[in-house]
Every structure is written in C-alpha cells, then in structure tokens.
Amino acid sequence: LPISIGTAVVEVSQPRAPCWKIDHRCGVEGIANFVALHGLTGWYYRVIVPGEIAAGMALELVARPASAVSLADYWRATQAHRPDPDWLERIAAAIGLAADKRRKLLDRAAWLRANTTPEP
C-alpha cells in the first residue's frame, strides 16, 4: 500500500518478526515470544518516491489495491498450524510483498495441498 509521509512515498514490503533483541533491550525474558503470540509485529518499508520526512509527520494512505491484505491477516496465516492454501496464495499475490516471503507462502500452500487428505 503506498503511503505518503512528508514528500516521500513508501510502501510496506513485508512484516517483521520479533527477535531476541526485544528481550535483551527490555531485560525481560519472553517479551519477544509474547509479541509474536499476539501478532504485535512490525514491518519494513520500501521507498517508492524519495523525499524529506521528519518526526511527527502524518502518514497518509495514497491508495488501497483491491488485492491488499493486512499485516494481521499475513501474521495469522503464517502462524496457523494448517492455514487454507488458497489464503496463503492470496497473500502471496498481494502487491508489494517481498519475493522471499512470497516464495515461502507459495511453497507452504503447495505442501499443504500435497499433504492434506480430503474429507469424505
């Protein structure tokens, strides 16, 4: 989703999973796990149009493509034990998703299709 901030335009390119650094920085073991379990993840942006930004500037959604999925949807699908392969493929087709994330989703969808017994 393209987002304007200052004179720049950015786009979320992929979610960011929590890592051990959260526990280390806070001095409390288990915070990263809590963050992951509750889907309180971050994200990475890619720059579409370089520009000037500063702290406190508002982010404004430029457009929402029909194929857009939320980071919450992505996180739920990737954390589910056996997500719907169709849903994984829809997320993989989302505009802006990084190639390595797309490949993992498609590989998992293919594995689920090959290893799921149809219900009678």
Side-chain angles (χ1 to χ4, degrees), residues 1-99:
L1 303 174
I3 299 165
S4 68
I5 179 170
T7 59
V9 177
V10 298
E11 177 181 68
V12 173
S13 60
Q14 67 184 30
R16 181 182 184 280
C19 70
W20 63 270
K21 291 179 185 176
I22 296 172
D23 289 1
H24 178 73
R25 182 171 177 95
C26 295
V28 178
E29 189 173 326
I31 291 179
N33 188 43
F34 177 87
V35 168
L37 287 173
H38 291 84
L40 304 171
T41 62
W43 52 86
Y44 292 105
Y45 289 111
R46 76 168 52 89
V47 176
I48 305 300
V49 178
E52 302 267 336
I53 64 172
M57 288 184 166
L59 281 78
E60 295 182 34
L61 183 63
V62 174
R64 182 181 302 275
S67 65
V69 295
S70 71
L71 290 171
D73 290 337
Y74 174 92
W75 192 253
R76 279 191 296 276
T78 59
Q79 298 304 302
H81 178 66
R82 284 197 172 269
D84 180 347
D86 290 340
W87 186 234
L88 293 176
E89 290 169 351
R90 180 169 182 258
I91 294 170
I95 296 171
L97 190 62

